[in-house]
Amino acid sequence: MRDLADPGLFEAGGQYEAWRWWREHDPVHRHERGFWSVTRYADVDRVLRDHPSFAGERGTSPGHADPAAGREPAATGPTGPDRARAALRKVMGMRPAGSYEPSLIAAITGLLAPGLDEQSFDLAAAVRGLPLALAGPLLGLPRADWPYLSGLAMAAGAEDDPGHRIGDAAPGTPRRAHRELSAYFLPLVRERARTPGEDLVSLMVSDAGGRMDPETAVAGCRDLLLGASVTLPDAASSTVYELARTGSYRAWADRPDLLRTGVEEALRWASPGSHFMRHTTRPVRLSGVDVPAGEPVVAWIGSANRDAAVFPDPDAFDPERTPNRHLAFGDEPYHCAGSHLARLTLRLFFATLFATFADVAVAAEPVRVRSTFLTGFKELIISGTPRRGR
C-alpha cells in the first residue's frame, strides 16, 4: 500500500517505505484525488522556494478544506500574510531567546517527573505539553487554559484521528479548531492593547512592535501555537522512540557536544508536519514531468528529508550528521518564523532528558497518530533509568 493520502498508511508507520518507492519510481505523479505528489528533495525544495511558480494562498492541505488558506503566515506566500510574518519576526527578535530558558527548563522537568520513580510513563502525553510550555509564557496565556488550547492545536492538524476530532466529522475539525482559537485570542489581543503586559502579544500591538491590527495579531498567535504544536511533540517523541528502539540513546546522551547537531537530526528524522501543498501559477516541469498551471502540488517534506541523494544513509539517526540542510521548517519565503524558539525548546528538552535518564526503553507497543500531516505518537510508553544523584 503506497497511497500517501491514506492516514492509515501513516498510522502504521508505512510512509517511509512508500516515500522511498515513489522517489525511486515515480517522484512526480498525479494522485487520483486530483493533486500532484512530489517526493524528491530537489523538487520539494523548489516548490517551497519558487513562490512565483507555486503559491500557497489557496490552501496547504490536500483532501480537506484548509482554514489557513490565505490567512496563516506560515502557510501562505509573500502577500499580506507575508507582511504579518515579517512583523512577527521583528517582534520575536525584540527579546533574547535565552530569556525563556528558565520557564522552559522548569516545565520540561515537570513533564519528565513521572518517570523518576522508575515506573513507565507515556512520553507522548508528556511532550504534548511542550508547545504550551513555550507558547504559554511567550504569549502570556493563563495556565488554566493550556489544556484547552493544546486540544484545539492537535485538532487543527490531526483531523483524521478520532481522538482529536471536534464533533463527529473529520473535514470540519480544522475549521472549527481555527475558529475557536481565533475566538480565544481576539479578546486577549484587545485586552493587551488596553492593558499591556510583558508578553509577546503586548509587543505585537505596541508602537515598538509595529502596532499590528487585531486580525494580524490573532493570526500571529495562532501561527505560533500551531507551529509549536506540530513541531515539538512529534520531533521529541519520534526521536526518543528511535533512540530507544535501536539502543542508541546513550551514544547521544553521553555526548553533550552533539546537542545542536542532534536536534537538527531530530528535526530531519521526524519531519513534523510531513507535507505542504501549493498551487502552480504557471506550467512547471519537475523531474521531467510537466505540471499545468492551476494545479495543487503536495510537497512531501518528510520524503525530501529521507532522500539519499542529499542525506547519506538517510534512514539512520545520526546526531553527528553535518551538513544537514533539512526542510523541516520549510524554506524561504515560507520558513517558520519561530524556528529559533523551536530549536531552543528541543535543545532544552533533550538536555533535560539526558540529564534525567541515563537510558530509556520502550515499555509497550506505541500508537501513532492517524494523520497524513502529523508524524508522532498518540501513546508512547517508556521506562527510564534515572541518573544517579538526581
Side-chain angles (χ1 to χ4, degrees):
M1 183 176 63
R2 303 188 185 100
D3 182 2
L4 295 176
D6 178 12
L9 175 71
F10 291 74
E11 186 179 27
Q15 70 269 34
Y16 306 105
E17 178 56 38
W19 283 333
R20 183 186 303 110
W21 191 94
W22 288 115
R23 285 194 305 270
E24 293 175 356
H25 298 282
D26 200 0
V28 179
H29 65 279
R30 199 171 195 277
H31 193 275
E32 61 183 13
R33 295 193 186 181
F35 62 84
W36 291 83
S37 193
V38 177
T39 52
R40 287 181 179 170
Y41 183 99
D43 295 327
V44 170
D45 190 39
R46 183 187 170 189
V47 171
L48 296 179
R49 278 175 170 268
D50 185 1
H51 174 73
S53 301
F54 301 92
E57 288 81 3
R58 291 172 57 186
T60 61
S61 180
H64 298 291
D66 189 350
R71 299 169 59 191
E72 297 294 349
T76 54
T79 54
D82 188 64
R83 290 192 293 274
R85 185 189 298 108
L88 190 58
R89 284 179 174 169
K90 174 186 174 182
V91 170
M92 293 179 70
M94 293 173 69
R95 287 184 179 164
S99 64
Y100 305 111
E101 287 192 20
S103 63
L104 278 169
I105 293 172
I108 293 167
T109 300
L111 294 176
L112 297 176
L116 286 175
D117 59 2
E118 299 191 51
Q119 298 296 314
S120 59
F121 72 108
D122 187 353
L123 181 72
V127 298
R128 281 197 290 272
L130 285 176
L132 269 301
L134 172 62
L138 188 70
L139 299 175
L141 306 176
R143 184 174 288 272
D145 296 344
W146 291 12
Y148 168 68
L149 294 170
S150 179
L152 289 179
M154 285 298 297
E159 70 277 2
D160 290 304
D161 194 304
H164 297 298
R165 288 180 190 165
I166 302 175
D168 297 328
T173 290
R175 182 178 290 106
R176 181 170 173 181
H178 278 249
R179 186 168 61 245
E180 290 192 25
L181 284 171
S182 296
Y184 175 89
F185 282 120
L186 183 57
L188 182 71
V189 166
R190 289 173 172 166
E191 178 190 347
R192 295 295 193 276
R194 293 191 302 268
T195 310
E198 299 297 321
D199 52 81
L200 193 64
V201 182
S202 297
L203 280 176
M204 289 180 185
V205 296
S206 71
D207 290 332
R211 196 165 288 282
M212 294 183 189
D213 61 83
E215 183 179 354
T216 301
V218 167
C221 292
R222 281 198 315 264
D223 196 42
L224 283 172
L225 177 59
L226 295 177
S229 297
V230 168
T231 304
L232 299 178
D234 289 358
S237 62
S238 295
T239 300
V240 173
Y241 173 71
E242 179 64 12
L243 295 174
R245 184 187 71 82
T246 59
S248 56
Y249 177 92
R250 289 178 182 268
W252 184 20
D254 294 340
R255 291 287 305 277
D257 57 306
L258 298 180
L259 196 57
R260 288 182 180 272
T261 55
V263 164
E264 295 306 314
E265 180 71 341
L267 289 164
R268 181 196 73 87
W269 175 264
S271 294
S274 62
H275 65 73
F276 260 110
M277 186 173 72
R278 304 288 181 237
H279 283 78
T280 53
T281 61
R282 55 196 180 195
V284 296
R285 174 171 282 242
L286 296 169
S287 287
V289 177
D290 292 319
V291 181
E295 291 287 292
V297 177
V298 175
W300 292 99
I301 294 172
S303 177
N305 285 341
R306 298 290 183 102
D307 192 336
V310 178
F311 304 100
D313 198 8
D315 294 322
F317 184 92
D318 179 9
E320 296 187 71
R321 187 183 297 275
T322 184
N324 192 347
R325 196 176 178 281
H326 62 77
L327 300 175
F329 289 122
D331 213 334
E332 295 296 347
Y334 304 105
H335 195 269
C336 175
S339 59
H340 65 298
L341 290 178
R343 286 182 165 103
L344 170 66
T345 304
L346 288 172
R347 286 199 297 270
L348 294 176
F349 169 77
F350 285 108
T352 306
L353 178 76
F354 296 155
T356 303
F357 300 112
D359 208 348
V360 297
V362 178
E365 186 68 24
V367 179
R368 295 180 182 271
V369 176
R370 183 178 175 83
S371 171
T372 61
F373 182 64
L374 300 180
T375 59
F377 295 88
K378 285 175 61 176
E379 183 178 276
L380 178 60
I381 308 299
I382 68 166
S383 58
T385 304
R387 287 199 181 272
R388 293 181 179 180
R390 283 196 61 86

